[in-house]
């Protein structure tokens, strides 16, 4: 499954460039204030014009949640099933980590119409 996902991602990225990619972040909903951290957990590629970023992410939410808790077991593992997911434009991980004011994270609902 992982290699298949990677092939699909690379194929979509080749055609659409970074405009069809979103960076995905996970957040433990039990944290707040200074303890709030958004953890970079991967990327999602989509065919622009056929599916929204929110819908593409929501359709893969189970896979993303499992992946997030495996790569960050201490920080996110205890909140499996309750994680919040957010996205930013593709290839902005560095800008996001530097709190660039031009890069905004957007919340993703786990269930999206469409």
């Amino acid at each position: 499954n992982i290699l298949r996902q990677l092939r699909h991602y690379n194929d979509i990225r080749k055609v659409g460039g970074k405009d069809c990619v979103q960076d995905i972040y996970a957040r433990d909903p039990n944290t707040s204030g200074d303890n709030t951290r958004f953890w970079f957990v991967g990327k999602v590629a989509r065919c622009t014009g056929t599916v929204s970023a929110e819908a593409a992410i929501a359709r893969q939410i189970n896979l993303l949640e499992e992946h997030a808790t495996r790569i960050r077991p201490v920080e996110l593992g205890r909140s499996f099933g309750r994680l919040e997911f957010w996205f930013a434009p593709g290839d902005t991980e560095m800008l996001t980590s530097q709190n660039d004011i031009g890069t905004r994270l957007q919340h993703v609902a786990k269930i999206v119409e469409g």
Side-chain angles (χ1 to χ4, degrees):
N1 279 342
I2 293 172
L3 291 177
R4 181 175 44 112
Q5 287 287 102
L6 179 60
R7 278 194 308 272
H8 291 310
Y9 171 85
N10 287 333
D11 289 345
I12 294 170
R13 174 111 187 197
K14 267 189 231 172
V15 174
K18 76 175 193 172
D19 292 337
C20 67
V21 175
Q22 269 65 49
D23 293 342
I24 309 299
Y25 296 84
R27 177 184 171 284
D28 181 349
N30 297 319
T31 61
S32 61
D34 289 340
N35 292 326
T36 300
R37 297 285 182 271
F38 291 86
W39 298 97
F40 176 76
V41 295
K43 295 175 176 277
V44 168
R46 64 190 173 87
C47 296
T48 55
T50 59
V51 65
S52 68
E54 293 87 351
I57 297 164
R59 288 181 183 139
Q60 299 181 66
I61 210 82
N62 292 333
L63 180 66
L64 290 166
E65 187 155 32
E66 186 174 331
H67 178 68
T69 57
R70 286 181 188 221
I71 63 172
R72 289 286 179 187
V74 173
E75 298 88 353
L76 301 173
R78 292 182 196 98
S79 294
F80 183 79
R82 298 183 316 272
L83 292 179
E84 294 178 357
F85 287 91
W86 301 70
F87 72 95
D91 299 340
T92 59
E93 307 95 313
M94 204 54 140
L95 294 172
T96 302
S97 71
Q98 296 167 346
N99 292 322
D100 179 70
I101 59 171
T103 305
R104 298 275 183 220
L105 295 179
Q106 295 179 281
H107 185 259
V108 179
K110 288 192 175 188
I111 299 174
V112 175
E113 290 290 320

